Amino acid sequence: MTSAILSTQPSCDDDYDPDSLTCDEAWRRIHAHVRPLQVAERVPLRTALGRVLAQPVKSSINVPGHVNSAMDGYAIKAHDVPATGLTELEVVGESFAGKPYAGRVLDNQAVRIMTGAVVPADTDTIAPQESVEAHGKWIRIDGRHRLGQHVRRAGEDIESGQTVLRAGHLISPVELGLIASLGIVEVDVIRRPRVAFFSTGDELRSLGEPLGVGEIYDSNRYTLYGMLTRLGVEVLDLGVVVDDPVALTAAFQRASSIADVVITSGGVSVGEADYTKEILTKLGAVRFWKVAMKPGRPLAFGDLGNALFFGLPGNPVSVMVTFYQFVQPALLQLMGANPAPYPTFKARTTSILKKRPGRVEYQRGTLARDANGEYLVTATGDQGSGILSSMANANCFIVLGMESAHVPADTPVDVQPFFGIV
Ligand code: AMP
Ligand code: MG
């Protein structure tokens, strides 16, 4: 997942925690546990955007459906091409896209043809417009034409009967176009996972409510709503639940009875009012609850009835980092897709990056390019887990490996651009 930048031995100044899983191990456990949903549904093509194919898509037609021209020019017979000098051909008709030439073409005749138009049956070669001299109903060609040039074969792109997309393929705009090109109007996709989420905390107020002393607005439900909606899952927002074991137990039970996945934020640290782990142990199973990462160390994963459970930390940046690094790939897997690792490349850091060994850090950065076109990355100010503007002003994660300590300026570091993630 990451690579070490600077190695140091563990010391009292680091952050090694024997109870924490490494990020790689946490993902390995999630990956091994999540079973793709098995229920498929048939939907109109446009509705399939963002969904995963439950069945392969096969073509019942050739694409293109007919032999057609790759150039504007003249359809000719290769045997009319002169060995030396020039020869004249009579232009007997025209074949335009959607309006083929229906007649015969005799020897020493040609048909005016446009790109994409059907190549007349008697012809086999296209003489591009710029290679001939045209004089009214006659063209003059030289000997530089080869049999079959600029002719596109029927089925050149896709042959009838061919499997074009496999089950498990995630439908993006290109697949909508590809499936449309086969004339297919409905596809079989895995049903959308139902994802229920709620925030926990006595200090949280929903939008529209006045704020008392020490109270804050619940922002996590908004970032979660956005991230989940982008993924195309069915979103069930269950509001704010106070830090009370009875209320939390009821909320967990309700959520797990209506959803495939339950996501909470807050209440997973080791504070007095952090009941999540305790309740999860009672109602289901805790598979892990601490990961050696920052932000996001208190991340719980387990089962709640038949639902998967992710207990995200309360801090707003931690919610986003743990969602993108763990929940999003898990949801894709549940949707039947095969989540690919995020694109990661090296960029040189423009200043020192503060870092403690013993955990992977996902700092937030902005990418730029220097005069040589090489990537530079700058951390977006204060990297506190509660500072959501550090995400808003960023366009990438800077991923600093487990063993890394402070990273000096000008060091190449791993970056994950947001456009490959969000
Ligand atoms: P917790 O994990 O519950 O201890 O929360 C850690 C920090 O995140 C605290 O400062 C909380 O006030 C804050 N926090 C928790 N939930 C939310 C939320 N839904 N929106 C904004 N901040 C939150
Ligand atoms: Mg809390």
Side-chain angles (χ1 to χ4, degrees), residues 200-201 203 243 266-267 274:
T200 70
E203 77 282 26
D243 291 315
D274 295 323

Coordinates of all heavy atoms in Angstrom, one line a residue, residues 200-201 203 243 266-267 274, ligand 2:
T200 N -22.7 9.7 16.0 CA -22.9 9.6 17.5 C -22.2 10.7 18.2 O -21.1 11.1 17.8 CB -22.3 8.2 18.0 OG1 -20.9 8.3 17.9 CG2 -22.8 7.0 17.2
G201 N -22.8 11.2 19.2 CA -22.2 12.3 20.0 C -23.2 13.2 20.6 O -24.1 13.7 19.9
E203 N -22.7 16.1 21.6 CA -22.4 17.5 21.2 C -22.9 17.8 19.8 O -22.8 19.0 19.4 CB -20.8 17.7 21.2 CG -20.0 17.1 20.1 CD -19.7 15.6 20.2 OE1 -20.5 14.9 20.8 OE2 -18.8 15.2 19.6
D243 N -24.8 9.8 23.0 CA -23.9 8.8 23.6 C -24.6 8.1 24.8 O -24.3 8.4 25.9 CB -22.6 9.5 24.1 CG -21.8 10.0 23.0 OD1 -21.6 9.3 22.0 OD2 -21.3 11.2 23.0
G266 N -17.8 8.4 15.1 CA -17.6 8.8 16.5 C -17.8 7.6 17.4 O -18.3 6.6 17.0
G267 N -17.4 7.9 18.6 CA -17.6 6.9 19.7 C -16.8 5.6 19.6 O -17.1 4.6 20.3
D274 N -17.5 6.2 24.7 CA -17.3 5.5 23.5 C -17.7 4.1 23.6 O -17.0 3.2 24.0 CB -15.8 5.6 23.1 CG -15.4 7.0 22.8 OD1 -16.2 7.7 22.2 OD2 -14.2 7.4 23.2
Ligands
MG2 MG -18.1 11.2 20.4

